């Protein structure tokens, strides 16, 4: 990825480049506020779902679980999630493969937010893809900590 997270202050540009790099149709970037995640930017999320993802408690939904567990959370097919991680309204996004990773402070002591991507087709994210998205999230965390 060519975007410089340290000099660019446009989270929408960050997210758009991530979606392009991962060939994803939806994405979210949330910032932590206490035990909640507040939406910073999104792309491709249906308008009627925005009120439900604007403020997410840790432990709820894919992003909230990633923040609470401090690790990537993946669903190969959100439409068929039987494990209870995805909230029922999440199926209305028409997204199948989804991945959310925590955004950490540079020393990894604090969860600063989450970065999530999704695609319309079912998809098993590879270890390399999870690692790449985690590395991007680390760059976001560095940028947020520098401000």
């Amino acid at each position: 990825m060519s975007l410089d997270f340290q000099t660019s202050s446009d989270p929408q540009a960050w997210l758009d480049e991530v979606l392009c790099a991962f060939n994803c149709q939806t994405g979210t970037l949330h910032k932590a506020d206490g035990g909640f995640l507040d939406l910073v930017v999104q792309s491709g999320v249906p308008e009627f779902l925005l009120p439900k993802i604007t403020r997410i408690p840790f432990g709820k939904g894919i992003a909230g679980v990633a923040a609470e567990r401090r690790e990537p959370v993946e669903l190969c097919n959100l439409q068929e999630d039987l494990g209870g991680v995805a909230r029922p309204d999440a199926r209305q996004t028409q997204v199948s493969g989804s991945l959310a990773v925590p955004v950490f402070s540079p020393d990894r002591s604090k969860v600063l937010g989450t970065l999530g991507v999704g695609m319309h087709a079912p998809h098993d994210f590879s270890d390399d893809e999870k690692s790449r998205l985690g590395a991007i999230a680390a760059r976001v965390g560095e940028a947020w900590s520098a401000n």
Side-chain angles (χ1 to χ4, degrees), residues 52-114:
K52 296 182 185 284
I53 67 163
T54 299
R55 187 163 176 89
I56 301 170
F58 276 38
K60 297 291 182 185
I62 299 166
V65 171
E68 181 180 69
R69 293 182 184 170
R70 302 175 55 92
E71 64 185 30
V73 173
E74 172 192 12
L75 293 173
C76 170
N77 191 344
L78 180 62
Q79 300 304 311
E80 296 180 3
D81 171 45
L82 301 175
V85 173
R87 300 183 76 170
D89 289 337
R91 289 181 181 83
Q92 296 177 26
T93 63
Q94 300 304 308
V95 168
S96 288
S98 59
L99 173 64
V101 297
V103 173
F104 291 108
S105 59
D107 65 1
R108 295 184 59 89
S109 65
K110 185 176 178 185
V111 174
L112 301 178
T114 60

